[in-house]
Amino acid sequence: MPTSADRNAPIPPLPETHLAAEVVTQPDDWTRAARTAADHAALLPQPGERVAVIGCGTSYFMSRAIAALRESAGQGLTDAWPAGQVRSREYDRYLVICRSGTTTEVLEAMRALPDGVPRAVICSSPGTPVLELADPILIADVDEQSVVQTRFATTALAMLRWHLGEDLAPVIAQAREVLAEDLAESLAAVRSAEQISFVGMGFAAAVADEAGLKLRESCQSWTEGYLATEWRHGPVSIAAPGRAVWAFGPVPSGLAQDVAATGAHFEHRDIDPMADLVRVHRLCQVRAADLGLDPDHPRSLNRSVILG
């Protein structure tokens, strides 16, 4: 990986990976998600319902983002649960997110849901078991060959944001701008960072956790994620020159100054967290190439966790 001295060095042509091909479709994917949301409106959470959103890994982080957005919109209590630990509470509807359709914890959680409660599953894999356990919302056009999830997760989130009444046209425009940027220039400050702490508030806190996961998966980077207001309560101790704090969305007062005082770089754009996540996806490609890693096939990770 380049050192801080040559972090502005031109980025050579990146390998043609599935990850790279899938990242660039996201603006179009999010645009189509408006129609998908409208077509499946009756299966998605209705105003006033008590809802549980369930997923694993990236899908769990998207569940958390959806829960935060729905509650912020005043549409009703919304819990997000990892599929391996769904608490028994009274809900009016369940929403499950599962790209592969075969994840063991998800299947077990769905089979344990109480009878008579509406449930839907967002999935991109036709003919998989989850589609038989709930009302299916199949978005096969955003399925991925890379093990590392990008467009499936963000499209699921975009669909729910459209469903909540958001206009994502400005977010889509921001993502297009991100994809048109020069990589060497836009990512220079974080390309060679030894460590990155991602932070955010509201739904951006879930995006921060997802950003950290993307870099750990694709290029084995040292990354962490925190609620932005929690960063001063311990994580500040690892901030130092050569490291970075990347903030999504609006930041707490004084955070930028506190990061600067540690010598770490403060990375922040005044754009929607979902569009900013696309910048992280591009950083995954660059850092993986710098390290000679294959981002499509992360170490010890498969597309679906299937337990024996």
Side-chain angles (χ1 to χ4, degrees):
M1 181 178 293
T3 65
S4 58
D6 60 1
R7 67 185 187 181
N8 291 315
I11 295 175
L14 297 177
E16 294 183 1
T17 63
H18 295 307
L19 180 67
E22 290 154 3
V23 164
V24 298
T25 70
Q26 289 178 103
D28 290 338
D29 300 332
W30 303 349
T31 300
R32 291 194 305 274
R35 172 51 57 190
T36 307
D39 290 345
H40 296 89
L43 302 182
L44 295 171
Q46 306 299 304
E49 290 183 331
R50 295 168 57 92
V51 175
V53 192
I54 300 169
C56 287
T58 289
S59 294
Y60 170 55
F61 295 144
M62 295 303 101
S63 299
R64 284 176 42 203
I66 290 164
L69 287 165
R70 186 170 184 268
E71 289 198 347
S72 295
Q75 294 213 10
L77 182 148
T78 315
D79 289 328
W81 299 113
Q85 192 174 47
V86 179
R87 292 188 181 177
S88 179
R89 295 180 177 173
E90 290 188 6
Y91 294 109
D92 301 310
R93 186 179 301 270
Y94 291 94
L95 179 65
V96 180
I97 305 174
C98 183
R99 176 182 67 167
S100 71
T102 57
T103 301
T104 299
E105 290 103 325
V106 172
L107 293 171
E108 291 177 347
M110 294 177 73
R111 290 172 180 139
L113 296 179
D115 294 334
V117 181
R119 76 282 310 269
V121 59
I122 302 173
C123 180
S124 62
S125 303
T128 52
V130 298
L131 299 174
E132 301 175 0
L133 298 174
D135 292 319
I137 302 176
L138 182 63
I139 50 174
D141 57 330
V142 294
D143 199 20
E144 296 154 330
Q145 295 186 61
S146 175
V147 169
V148 176
Q149 284 196 49
T150 53
R151 67 182 182 186
F152 167 75
T154 60
T155 301
L157 179 56
M159 182 171 61
L160 267 294
R161 293 181 72 176
W162 285 112
H163 179 68
L164 290 172
E166 292 191 56
D167 178 7
L168 295 188
V171 182
I172 292 166
Q174 290 171 356
R176 294 192 192 282
E177 291 174 1
V178 164
L179 290 168
E181 291 175 346
D182 177 78
L183 283 173
E185 179 179 345
S186 65
L187 299 175
V190 290
R191 179 181 177 186
S192 59
E194 177 192 22
Q195 186 274 343
I196 304 176
S197 292
F198 293 98
V199 300
M201 299 297 294
F203 91 97
V207 174
D209 280 334
E210 168 62 6
L213 179 63
K214 289 305 91 167
L215 282 168
R216 291 193 296 274
E217 289 176 334
S218 61
C219 47
Q220 303 169 23
S221 295
W222 175 15
T223 59
E224 302 178 11
Y226 301 100
L227 193 69
T229 50
E230 287 295 304
W231 181 81
R232 299 181 180 98
H233 296 271
V236 60
S237 63
I238 64 169
R243 300 177 182 177
V245 175
W246 185 320
F248 292 95
V251 298
S253 177
L255 181 64
Q257 292 78 8
D258 289 343
V259 173
T262 70
H265 168 73
F266 185 65
E267 183 77 11
H268 181 247
R269 289 265 190 102
D270 186 20
I271 61 176
D272 187 272
M274 203 162 76
D276 208 12
L277 182 61
V278 178
R279 296 182 63 224
V280 177
H281 293 161
R282 303 198 85 197
L283 180 60
C284 290
Q285 300 169 50
V286 172
R287 287 174 70 108
D290 285 340
L291 293 166
L293 298 174
D294 177 1
D296 288 336
H297 302 96
R299 182 175 61 188
S300 305
L301 187 65
N302 296 311
R303 174 180 163 90
S304 178
V305 177
I306 300 176
L307 305 177

